[in-house]
Amino acid sequence: MCRDNEPEKNKVLSLLGLATRSRNVVSGGFATENAVKSGKACLVIVSEDASDNTEKKFRNMCEFYEVPYYRFGMKESLGHSMGKQERTSLAITNEGFADSIQKHFERFKN
């Protein structure tokens, strides 16, 4: 991402922290997969430095279950924003947080 998107990136990381503190995020491969398959996931984020297999697994799963999917951040920054160790994948389980984060992702594209 270029420097112009730095404020938007920081807002997304802040929202992830808020969502985590309000218990609206599940993280880690197993928990994220369960959230998607059980219909609890409103949005899935996979780190940009995740392996190709991990990326493909979640992209295909999210397509099948019709869950919005984004690649964002590095493992370390995702984990840090949540107050945890490195995280490769996470699912937002609250529609409000998911919508807000998606709006910031749309601004990245523009």
Side-chain angles (χ1 to χ4, degrees):
M1 282 183 218
C2 65
R3 294 240 180 244
D4 295 341
N5 289 333
E6 211 54 41
E8 293 298 322
K9 182 178 179 182
N10 290 335
K11 287 178 187 173
V12 169
L13 293 173
S14 293
L15 284 168
L16 285 176
L18 287 171
T20 301
R21 285 189 291 285
S22 63
R23 299 178 187 252
N24 290 305
V25 175
V26 295
S27 62
F30 185 73
T32 303
E33 183 175 345
N34 283 344
V36 171
K37 290 182 176 179
S38 68
K40 293 179 183 173
C42 299
L43 171 74
V44 170
I45 298 174
V46 175
S47 69
E48 293 173 357
D49 56 347
S51 71
D52 291 340
N53 286 341
T54 299
E55 189 273 332
K56 182 180 178 189
K57 170 185 169 181
F58 283 107
R59 181 175 26 90
N60 291 340
M61 186 186 317
C62 289
E63 268 182 35
F64 182 81
Y65 287 95
E66 298 179 354
V67 175
Y69 164 89
Y70 292 94
R71 293 212 56 184
F72 173 78
M74 298 299 177
K75 295 175 191 177
E76 188 176 329
S77 64
L78 289 177
H80 182 72
S81 72
M82 299 168 61
K84 301 183 183 220
Q85 299 288 326
E86 293 181 348
R87 291 293 188 257
T88 303
S89 61
L90 59 93
I92 308 295
T93 58
N94 175 282
E95 285 186 39
F97 279 116
D99 290 344
S100 187
I101 291 170
Q102 274 187 284
K103 286 177 187 172
H104 289 291
F105 283 141
E106 293 304 318
R107 292 181 189 153
F108 288 159
K109 292 179 183 179
N110 298 335

